[in-house]
Amino acid sequence: MSFSIATWNINSVRLRMPLVERFLLEKAPDVLCLQETKCPDDQFPSTAFRKLGYQHIVISGQKGYHGVATVARRPIELVEKRDFCTMGDCRHLSVRVTAGDKKVLLHNFYVPAGGDEPDPGINPKFRHKLDFVAEMNAIRADHDATSGSVLVGDLNIAPLEHDVWSHKQLLKVVSHTPVETENFEAMRKAGDWVDLMRLNVPYEQKIYTWWSYRAQDWESSDRGRRLDHVWSSQNLASSFTGYEILREARGWDRPSDHVPVIARFDLE
DNA sequence: ATGGTAGACACTCTA
């Protein structure tokens, strides 16, 4: 059976519900993980999701900032909402979902952006980001014959040279500094995660999921970064059949600065 | 080298 998981930093789920509807109607993923919902739980647009067939909803939201939500066509069971760095931020939730012959533990992450100054000594937001990634070392790609793990989200780091429009020009820009990219890749490998978006793609090929709001013309300048990620355990990587970055969503009316990524699996 | 845009919420923060 086919099984698909989408991830999208929506930058206010209430404001952009029309875009979410369009996306779910066009692409119909089994599960959608949202980040930056900016919405307290009691104001989450659950009714709209249910009408679209996404009847199973797990949310971790707060007023004004951050917030993650996972919605699905099939039952999902909350596993954990973890408070990384004990800041009280809503930046993670994990659920369990059955797909074919596997029980999948699905993590939805929103890693701190880290501010502008890439110096943890003078910028507490950057310190927080590094601490958060360090704490993610505890999140492992657990799997056995009947289970697997997936980790998706806005991880706010573009780890590889061709995950940014200009490696050289971004080496001192938060999201692509060596301390971030090195710690990030070490953390991914420590957890035995497979970077599915790079699995069958040449190293030199550019991959972006985010384009700044500040560009005069995001499309022609195309100064993007790969900040959104889809990882899985080794056993699910062998069931992975491909993915899609919905670049066109960046050109929709009043868009998020991130676009959806949809990963597909074929399970027994 | 700089400043550019966007959203929430209530004036300034976060991204």
Side-chain angles (χ1 to χ4, degrees):
Chain A
M1 67 159 290
S2 68
F3 177 64
S4 57
I5 299 173
T7 180
W8 194 5
N9 177 318
I10 195 62
N11 187 16
S12 174
V13 67
R14 285 174 290 178
L15 185 69
R16 282 186 238 288
M17 205 54 212
L19 305 192
V20 175
E21 288 193 27
R22 176 174 176 181
F23 171 69
L24 292 177
L25 290 169
E26 285 183 13
K27 297 296 174 181
D30 292 296
V31 184
L32 170 62
C33 295
L34 295 167
Q35 303 87 34
E36 268 205 282
T37 52
K38 293 185 175 178
C39 181
D41 289 353
D42 61 2
Q43 290 172 45
F44 191 83
S46 300
T47 306
F49 280 100
R50 286 197 204 97
K51 280 184 183 155
L52 290 157
Y54 292 79
Q55 315 229 3
H56 307 279
I57 299 170
V58 177
I59 49 186
S60 179
Q62 65 185 89
K63 184 177 175 181
Y65 309 105
H66 324 313
V68 291
T70 299
V71 303
R73 297 177 169 283
R74 60 183 72 207
I76 51 177
E77 166 200 348
L78 171 66
V79 174
E80 187 182 17
K81 299 176 183 179
R82 196 186 284 221
D83 181 9
F84 285 79
C85 304
T86 55
M87 305 268 293
D89 287 355
C90 296
R91 295 181 179 275
H92 166 266
L93 72 81
S94 56
V95 300
R96 192 163 280 112
V97 57
T98 302
D101 63 344
K102 296 280 193 304
K103 289 203 169 197
V104 177
L105 177 60
L106 170 60
H107 294 275
N108 178 357
F109 269 100
Y110 177 48
V111 172
D116 288 333
E117 181 56 59
D119 179 346
I122 60 175
N123 176 8
K125 293 197 194 74
F126 194 70
R127 174 80 268 157
H128 177 212
K129 184 179 197 175
L130 297 180
D131 291 345
F132 194 103
V133 170
E135 208 170 317
M136 285 176 73
N137 275 294
I139 306 294
R140 306 294 172 128
D142 294 330
H143 65 99
D144 61 25
T146 61
S147 71
S149 299
V150 173
L151 187 159
V152 304
D154 175 6
L155 306 186
N156 265 317
I157 292 172
L160 305 179
E161 180 177 352
H162 297 288
D163 291 338
V164 294
W165 64 276
S166 168
H167 174 63
K168 195 177 168 191
Q169 286 182 254
L170 285 166
L171 277 169
K172 292 181 177 170
V173 174
V174 170
S175 73
H176 195 62
T177 64
V179 65
E180 288 171 272
T181 59
E182 287 163 17
N183 290 3
F184 184 87
E185 282 294 89
M187 177 273 288
R188 181 179 64 76
K189 289 169 187 168
D192 202 24
W193 293 103
V194 180
D195 177 1
L196 295 179
M197 295 175 71
R198 278 288 176 191
L199 193 55
N200 297 306
V201 177
Y203 182 80
E204 302 76 20
Q205 186 174 316
K206 296 287 189 188
I207 307 177
Y208 309 143
T209 65
W210 174 91
W211 293 262
S212 173
Y213 281 127
R214 296 175 186 176
Q216 286 175 356
D217 184 337
W218 73 272
E219 192 163 27
S220 63
S221 60
D222 200 23
R223 294 182 167 189
R225 303 178 203 171
R226 182 170 72 116
L227 301 180
D228 302 274
H229 297 268
V230 182
W231 296 350
S232 83
S233 51
Q234 301 281 350
N235 64 336
L236 292 181
S238 18
S239 305
F240 173 65
T241 57
Y243 74 99
E244 177 181 5
I245 297 173
L246 201 65
R247 180 184 165 106
E248 65 181 67
R250 185 63 179 79
W252 289 353
D253 190 40
R254 296 201 81 185
S256 168
D257 45 356
H258 296 252
V259 298
V261 181
I262 311 153
R264 299 193 169 84
F265 302 85
D266 196 8
L267 296 157
E268 294 294 316

